[in-house]
Amino acid sequence: MRKIISLIAAVCILALSVQSFSARGIMSRKIDFKNPDFIKGMDISSIVALEKSGVKFYDDNGEEDIFKILADHGVNYIRVRVWNDPFDSDGNGYGGGNNDIGKACEIGRRAAKYGMKLLVDFHYSDFWADPGKQKAPKAWEGFSIDKKVEAVKSFTYNSLIEIKNAGADIGMVQVGNETTLGICGENEWENMARLFNAGASAVRELDEKILVAIHFTNPEKTDFIKSLADFLGDYKVDYDVFATSYYPYWHGSLDNLTEVLNYVSVKYGKYAMVAETSYANTLDDTDGHDNTVRVGSNDSGENLLWEFSVQGQADAVSAVMNAVNNVEDGRGLGVFYWEGAWITVGDTSGKDGGEFDETLENNKSLWESFGSGWAASYASEYDPDDAGKWYGGSAVDNQAFFDSKGKALPSLDVFKMVSEDVLRGDTNADGRLNIRDATVIEKYLVKLKDLDSRSLRAADFNGDGRVSVEDATVIQKTLAEVVSG
Ligand code: CA
């Protein structure tokens, strides 16, 4: 028996790197999370608008509530953006999910139903807030900084009460979105700090247990993002979580990400996390609106370490989680995947000519009516230079965990697999190692049997990152040794 244990231990040590498979399942290694509550989160803010546009979601058993599908696959936290008033004076939505407080209530309630907490991401704007734009809401136009401080506090408090009363389990609140260069129309640090603290004080008043996060971008500008943490310290901003976006095509290496997060966490005693990340599983588009990552755009660079495949997408997620987990003392809090379900409202793939045009026209009509694209034409009054010009559909349908028909991709399994103990060799998942496991591998290799993600990982008995005939052979040898004593 000791021989068996040492053999198993030896192959486990070898099992550190993992290769791609084009099978039904994906391979992913377990991460030893230092923080037992590590967040494996997902932002699906556009989901209500998508469902109104007729989009449905499916797992292996058929159509299902997407919140249940995510929870079943190991997602434990949902993130939702909140805009103050993303509608024009006629009540037409700006798009991007038309994410007002009502949407956050519905999303938070449905997340809680399946045991998932909610991160409420306040933009303090009527539409997208990012490093390039931090426009105050229409209703706050012309407000002095003192009035904005009051408005941020009361809006935050009242919104959270509403979302909580709807049944959401609010675990974290983001005071501002990608506030790298400003927030709510303010870009002086003194004013920014006052607005951060106004949001934080509303959260504290409601519930001391809810974490307050401040969210920046561009960790690749190492000294710059560290200086943002120093500003938060110098201006005595009250917060718990230092969050950054991390898109591998823009934001540097994973080692650098860990270093930046570690700096903040060690120096200021804060949690650190990735509030947004994503990775393309294909370079193809399915809705007629160009994707952020496509041929010739964001598709190359030294930090794109994974192929644009379903397996590559899973590998990227696992690697980003690992980089956050590498933050010292368990202060790496977690990772949120950005808009992992923003799929097409009408599949244009394989279509051309009149057929393509017809599908695209129908998509445009859905995006305008329900706000299921990144922006609708109605946003032009508020954001004339960007949304007003480029409004349209999803730029991330190729970064979702669902195919163009709404079926969950095997890459979604990664959220579960990073926490899953799998008995090595137990390919048929009966909890024991026996000869049937070797048989299953042999059948898989001659394509007589499909394996899911869990079984694929178990099947890699010798831990070389592949499933091969050697795995079956080593299982047989191991069992023979057990029998001969
Ligand atoms: Ca698209």
Side-chain angles (χ1 to χ4, degrees), residues 106-122:
E106 176 172 350
I107 288 170
R109 175 182 60 75
R110 290 170 65 185
K113 183 176 172 191
Y114 296 103
M116 297 183 287
K117 290 194 179 208
L118 189 72
L119 162 53
V120 183
D121 167 21
F122 288 111

Side-chain angles (χ1 to χ4, degrees), residues 285-291 394-397:
D285 172 57
T286 56
D287 75 346
H289 179 89
D290 271 351
N291 290 331
S394 172
V396 291
D397 48 290

Side-chain angles (χ1 to χ4, degrees), residues 218-231 242 256 259-260 263:
N218 302 89
E220 82 286 4
K221 294 176 182 165
T222 312
D223 292 339
F224 174 66
I225 195 165
K226 285 179 180 175
S227 77
L228 298 177
D230 295 332
F231 274 124
F242 184 93
N256 184 67
E259 192 209 315
V260 163
Y263 170 87

Side-chain angles (χ1 to χ4, degrees), residues 1-4 476-485:
M1 194 59 197
R2 191 182 298 156
K3 217 192 293 178
I4 304 301
Q476 284 157 352
K477 273 189 189 168
T478 305
L479 291 167
E481 283 178 35
V482 175
V483 172
S484 68

Side-chain angles (χ1 to χ4, degrees), residues 165-356:
N165 288 344
D169 180 10
I170 304 169
M172 198 187 317
V173 172
Q174 242 184 260
V175 180
N177 188 73
E178 295 194 332
T179 52
T180 315
L181 300 173
I183 177 171
C184 197
E186 302 292 331
N187 54 21
E188 298 290 334
W189 259 96
E190 193 177 332
N191 291 345
M192 288 168 67
R194 288 186 66 192
L195 294 171
F196 289 142
N197 278 332
S201 70
V203 178
R204 305 296 188 213
E205 221 165 276
L206 179 74
D207 184 344
E208 298 250 313
K209 290 194 292 296
I210 298 176
L211 296 172
V212 173
I214 308 288
H215 176 206
F216 298 119
T217 56
N218 302 89
E220 82 286 4
K221 294 176 182 165
T222 312
D223 292 339
F224 174 66
I225 195 165
K226 285 179 180 175
S227 77
L228 298 177
D230 295 332
F231 274 124
L232 294 176
D234 294 347
Y235 283 90
K236 299 190 168 35
V237 171
D238 174 22
Y239 74 106
D240 307 299
V241 185
F242 184 93
T244 183
S245 294
Y246 178 76
Y247 293 103
Y249 34 94
W250 295 328
H251 291 151
S253 73
L254 288 169
D255 285 346
N256 184 67
L257 173 69
T258 302
E259 192 209 315
V260 163
L261 296 182
N262 213 38
Y263 170 87
V264 185
S265 142
V266 170
K267 186 167 180 186
Y268 295 104
K270 305 295 184 185
Y271 288 117
M273 73 171 197
V274 166
E276 294 183 14
T277 192
S278 68
Y279 205 80
N281 57 57
T282 169
L283 291 175
D284 295 337
D285 172 57
T286 56
D287 75 346
H289 179 89
D290 271 351
N291 290 331
T292 305
V293 178
R294 59 184 186 273
V295 174
S297 170
N298 301 315
D299 66 339
S300 62
E302 58 185 342
N303 297 306
L304 301 185
L305 303 173
W306 314 276
E307 61 181 22
F308 297 117
S309 67
V310 172
Q311 177 67 52
Q313 181 184 32
D315 290 342
V317 171
S318 164
V320 175
M321 285 185 188
N322 198 50
V324 174
N325 188 49
N326 283 340
V327 172
E328 287 173 35
D329 298 330
R331 284 197 284 254
L333 191 61
V335 172
F336 284 88
Y337 195 92
W338 192 70
E339 286 283 8
W342 204 343
I343 59 171
T344 181
V345 295
D347 196 355
T348 55
S349 30
K351 294 179 179 170
D352 50 26
E355 206 190 0
F356 178 90

